[in-house]
Amino acid sequence: MGIVKLGNPVLRQVSRKTIRRTRQRATIEKLYKACKTTSAWGLAAPQIGILDRAFLMAAPIVQNDINLKNKKNDGPLPVVEKPITSEESGLSLFYTGIINPKVTGMSEEIEVDYETCLSIPGIAALVPRHSWIDVEFDTHTGDRREHRLYGHPARVFQHELDHLDGIVYLDRILNTSDIVVESEIPDFGAEDDSIVEGCMVESQTDYAPRDRSSTTSDHPGNPKLENPEDEVKAYFGSMYVLAA
């Protein structure tokens, strides 16, 4: 099963809510099969030509979250079958199925970091994302979960959720000069601070994301902004509508 590339109209369509459990399981199984042939932190259903509101992502550690309102959710997320080892990075990633996701809250703080996409091979770009988000979703085992995600997991979730709404990460960039050839980023693909042997850190309070606060203004070809943080917030603030 191939990955749908940018230019295919399916990537610009809004996915439908997935209700039937049999369809949910079938979509997750197809996503898992596709992940076996590639290296990805996440993969959304539209990227394999299915317009369901579902995606896979490397399973974050979510237990012991001090912000959790519903304590029955205070446990590890279910994983899909066995971990998949990336030939490129050597990491073994457990994946969890995310179905009918929505963002219910987000940080005011914005982090800018590089992203790539299997549907847009060969390039990367600096993308502003909320540093943490509150999310709700169904797991592939049928449980409804509510969690707060931080740092890298929050970025992956936002990236994949965009796919379900017909948005690709290039739509989020602030400056076209932030688009680069992937191989030109010296530390891209290096182990993220929040990843240990393919799993997220045990305690969210221990997570210290890499400082990318000056990345955009320091990138070659970008103009120096008088107040880049305010510009990012003003631009990015209109991008999400909180779920009712």
Side-chain angles (χ1 to χ4, degrees):
M1 182 178 298
I3 302 297
V4 173
K5 299 299 191 296
L6 185 64
N8 189 313
V10 73
L11 291 179
R12 292 305 191 176
Q13 297 182 50
V14 177
S15 296
R16 56 184 170 264
K17 185 176 182 180
T18 307
I19 299 175
R20 289 170 40 212
R21 291 285 295 124
T22 53
R23 184 179 179 90
Q24 291 176 0
R25 287 194 294 269
T27 298
I28 293 300
E29 287 173 3
K30 290 176 182 177
L31 285 166
Y32 180 78
K33 183 177 180 180
C35 281
K36 287 183 176 180
T37 63
T38 187
S39 175
W41 292 113
L43 187 67
Q47 292 181 275
I48 57 172
I50 301 174
L51 287 173
D52 287 346
R53 297 194 72 79
F55 61 81
L56 282 188
M57 67 176 289
I61 296 296
V62 293
Q63 58 263 42
N64 303 319
D65 185 350
I66 61 173
N67 299 289
L68 196 64
K69 296 179 182 178
N70 190 346
K71 291 302 180 183
K72 73 177 183 179
N73 286 335
D74 192 16
L77 289 171
V79 296
V80 182
E81 298 186 31
K82 299 178 180 179
I84 297 175
T85 301
S86 166
E87 293 182 1
E88 180 180 344
S89 66
L91 289 177
S92 292
L93 298 176
F94 285 93
Y95 289 93
T96 192
I98 308 293
I99 300 167
N100 298 326
K102 59 182 179 180
V103 173
T104 59
M106 62 197 72
S107 66
E108 291 187 3
E109 180 185 1
I110 301 297
E111 294 179 354
V112 180
D113 208 342
Y114 283 106
E115 293 185 19
T116 61
C117 182
L118 292 173
S119 294
I120 314 173
I123 64 171
L126 291 168
V127 184
R129 299 285 187 188
H130 295 284
S131 60
W132 61 259
I133 52 174
D134 290 327
V135 299
E136 293 182 17
F137 56 90
D138 296 321
T139 69
H140 60 278
T141 57
D143 298 326
R144 190 66 179 172
R145 303 292 287 258
E146 303 174 15
H147 293 290
R148 177 167 292 184
L149 300 180
Y150 303 79
H152 186 264
R155 178 171 292 274
V156 173
F157 196 100
Q158 291 170 82
H159 179 113
E160 302 307 332
L161 182 58
D162 273 351
H163 276 302
L164 307 188
D165 292 323
I167 299 169
V168 298
Y169 77 93
L170 292 178
D171 299 329
R172 300 293 196 191
I173 65 173
L174 300 175
N175 194 317
T176 54
S177 62
D178 289 335
I179 303 173
V180 299
V181 175
E182 185 178 333
S183 60
E184 291 301 307
I185 307 173
D187 64 343
F188 193 79
E191 185 172 322
D192 187 272
D193 294 335
S194 64
I195 307 298
V196 179
E197 294 182 354
C199 296
M200 305 305 169
V201 290
E202 290 290 343
S203 171
Q204 300 291 5
T205 57
D206 294 336
Y207 175 68
R210 290 174 292 173
D211 183 8
R212 294 284 193 181
S213 58
S214 63
T215 307
T216 298
S217 59
D218 290 344
H219 191 273
N222 279 9
K224 292 290 184 177
L225 302 175
E226 292 184 5
N227 196 336
E229 182 177 352
D230 287 345
E231 180 172 321
V232 169
K233 286 182 178 180
Y235 176 83
F236 199 66
S238 63
M239 289 185 175
Y240 279 103
V241 177
L242 292 183

